[in-house]
Amino acid sequence: MFYGGDYNPEQWPEEVWLEDMRLMKKAGVNIVSIGIFSWAALQPGPQTYDFAWMDRLMDLLAANGIMADLATATASPPAWLAKLHPESLPVDENGARYMQGSRQHYCPNSKAFRLYGQQLVRKLAERYKDHPALAMWHINNEYACHISRCYCDECSLEFRVWLQKRYGTLDVLNSSWGTNFWSQKYYGWDEIGLPGKTPTYANPGQQLDYMRFMSDSLLDAYLGEHRILKEITPELPIMTNFMGAFKPLDQFEWAKHMDVVTWDSYPEPTSGIPVFAAMQHDLMRSLKGGQPFILMEQVTSQVNWRQHNPLKRPGVMRLWSYQTIARGGDGVMFFQWRQSWAGAEKFHGAMVTHTGDENSRIYREVEQLGNELKLLDAIVDARVESKVAILFDWHNWWALELDSKPNRDVLYVEQIRQYYQALFKSNVGVDFVQPNADLSGYKLVLAPAMYMVGDGVADNLEAYVQAGGTLLTTFFSGIVDENDRIHLGGYPAPLRKLLGLCVEEFDPMLPGQTNAINVEGLGEADGEYSCNLWADLIRLEGAVSLGSFKTDFFAGSPAVTVNNFGQGKTYYVGTQVEESFIDGLLGHIIGDVGLTAPLDVPAGVELSVRTNGDRRFIFVLNHLAETVDVQLPEGAFIELLGGSTLRDKLQLEPNGVAILHKQD
């Protein structure tokens, strides 16, 4: 189980390094990420390199039994690169060039950035390929965190090349983008620019392709470094760190080129039960088909970059670290090891605070967690149990949230969160999958706000339901194809047969406007519920209404439906309904498909199960402010963290954690 954090010893005198080694070993640290922002320290000039300090650091880590996750250092180019090649700096949509003096100040398509960066990567790989400390390569850092789009001349040229590869001919491009609208038709590739600052809405097909292009451009920059590392050290794992549900990058595509998914988690510490963090853990685990991930960054105490930065209360860091492991993490790491004394992140929390010793509350929690994780080797490589899938598609996200929409308050991740939250509260495991994925292993598939339905998706969903699966989707789904062109034939044209309905019109509601639905046919979930944001005017074509609108000219028309299709069922929710309805609806559905939580626990207690062969580990996490009792099924359970044997009952303190394994 990996445990450690970002380590930036170049910020400190070398006499501090020995103290770092002592404190790391005391805290159970076994890996550190090094060199992430060290380009200027490693390469003082275009033809000058200084690896002496890195040599000493790598030797010191090896001597102390600590592994190195060695970064390529390309996340923050040195000042000399901007001076020699100002064209390497990115340009915003207004045509203004960014300046050096922060970080991530590069255009991903800059030839100079790629040239010098790849030269550095090759020298690092050749120098340290056989070093005993080297365990993993860390390319760049948090791609697109600050610069997700560039509008420079190099990007404009590369965009045209990208479009020619995608479409082949201008006739195909013009058809795909619908350029006969607003006289946008192109007769030469050199007429096509970037969708930057335009008088009003840009072409949606162009906007969507530009987002695809930028994700691909950043990926190509990553792959330029990846190829060098694979050539020189083919046996070592390579990755870069994601940022959870992060819009600019198609992370399913990126994950194909990573040996392990790693990501950085910074949920708001006052947000209560961390549903969104759990959702993002599940998403990151799903990027490589359930393969365990590594949490590369979190904070021990407080971040420095929000408007207000409250502390994590005692025990919360430990609790949330175990949530990481419960949901598929095989490593817990932090930004950073030692709190900086200068720079923009000097108030960002760390494993060693500004006290500089082991006497702080923070270090004591770090030490406790690190030494507990030594007990969990049996969990490494274990998979999370999931029989529910949520469709997640970055291209759908990009298209749904382009401008010129009926209601721009329909946000993709928020729509997914509402349904995920109900499953989280029910302690039902969830995977995230792409729309064309094999769905046969799931009892329930959810597809909230599936605005875009590309080639083959409708057929995939029909085959899944026909064979006995249960599908739920929601309003504004099945509207456009992969180029953001309307599916003609009545909404949602590709899904009409599957859902047994037609949406004749939709009525986006104004802020503050509400309606209500009357629900009948869901048993305990029957009743009246408030709704807002959107209302579909539905004509039934075989589906049965489970809920109808209460007011407006469409009062009495269906708002929630169910349709039998083959051996399975489809549910459709044509409005945004309050949380209690979603809880009740999904409670009804998961009961109908035979899904149950692994234990019966109070609300506010999180459960997750990981399996490794015939071994099954049940994680129990108490997010409540009071002690809870959890009734256990018959038999004896070993609690891994305390080593005790439990029968009948588990008691958990506030922020308490237990990992249960049933004795044979």
Side-chain angles (χ1 to χ4, degrees), residues 406-425:
N407 188 336
R408 291 173 66 180
D409 291 333
V410 179
L411 303 177
Y412 186 48
V413 173
E414 170 59 20
Q415 292 303 312
I416 288 176
R417 184 204 59 79
Q418 294 175 26
Y419 287 85
Y420 176 90
Q421 179 172 284
L423 297 167
F424 176 87
K425 289 189 288 186

Side-chain angles (χ1 to χ4, degrees), residues 159 163 167 172-179 186 192 203 205-206 209:
F159 185 46
L163 291 172
Y167 294 109
V172 175
L173 179 143
N174 282 312
S175 174
S176 299
W177 286 6
T179 55
Y186 296 104
I192 303 172
N203 182 291
Q206 182 186 21
D209 274 343

Side-chain angles (χ1 to χ4, degrees), residues 3 26-28 298-301 311-322 332 334 350-351 353 357-373 655:
Y3 188 62
K26 190 170 188 286
Q298 62 170 339
V299 69
T300 54
S301 55
L311 279 171
K312 288 180 178 176
R313 270 35 192 174
V316 171
M317 179 275 286
R318 176 178 180 268
L319 174 66
W320 288 8
S321 296
Y322 279 112
V332 174
F334 298 88
M351 301 169 79
T353 68
D357 56 32
E358 65 259 62
N359 298 318
S360 68
R361 171 183 73 88
I362 299 301
Y363 182 86
R364 290 195 300 273
E365 291 194 17
V366 164
E367 182 182 8
Q368 177 191 358
L369 176 62
N371 285 290
E372 285 178 350
L373 293 182
N655 295 331

Side-chain angles (χ1 to χ4, degrees), residues 6 8 11 334-340 345 348-351:
D6 284 20
N8 300 292
Q11 299 177 15
F334 298 88
F335 181 84
Q336 58 178 320
W337 164 251
R338 182 178 286 273
Q339 196 169 15
S340 298
E345 292 185 306
H348 194 290
M351 301 169 79

Side-chain angles (χ1 to χ4, degrees), residues 29-50:
V29 168
N30 56 31
I31 188 168
V32 290
S33 299
I34 58 174
I36 291 177
F37 296 110
S38 300
W39 192 345
L42 292 167
Q43 190 177 6
Q47 306 302 325
T48 308
Y49 296 89
D50 179 8

Side-chain angles (χ1 to χ4, degrees), residues 423-438:
L423 297 167
F424 176 87
K425 289 189 288 186
S426 298
N427 285 308
V428 172
V430 174
D431 289 338
F432 288 89
V433 301
Q434 293 177 284
N436 280 311
D438 179 6

Side-chain angles (χ1 to χ4, degrees), residues 272-322:
I273 299 174
V275 177
F276 194 60
M279 175 177 151
Q280 297 200 87
H281 286 312
D282 287 346
L283 176 60
M284 295 298 99
R285 184 192 70 247
S286 299
L287 293 178
K288 290 186 75 67
Q291 176 183 308
F293 61 90
I294 299 170
L295 182 62
M296 190 56 57
E297 290 185 24
Q298 62 170 339
V299 69
T300 54
S301 55
Q302 63 203 132
V303 300
N304 72 306
W305 38 263
R306 293 189 174 103
Q307 186 69 23
H308 305 283
N309 299 289
L311 279 171
K312 288 180 178 176
R313 270 35 192 174
V316 171
M317 179 275 286
R318 176 178 180 268
L319 174 66
W320 288 8
S321 296
Y322 279 112

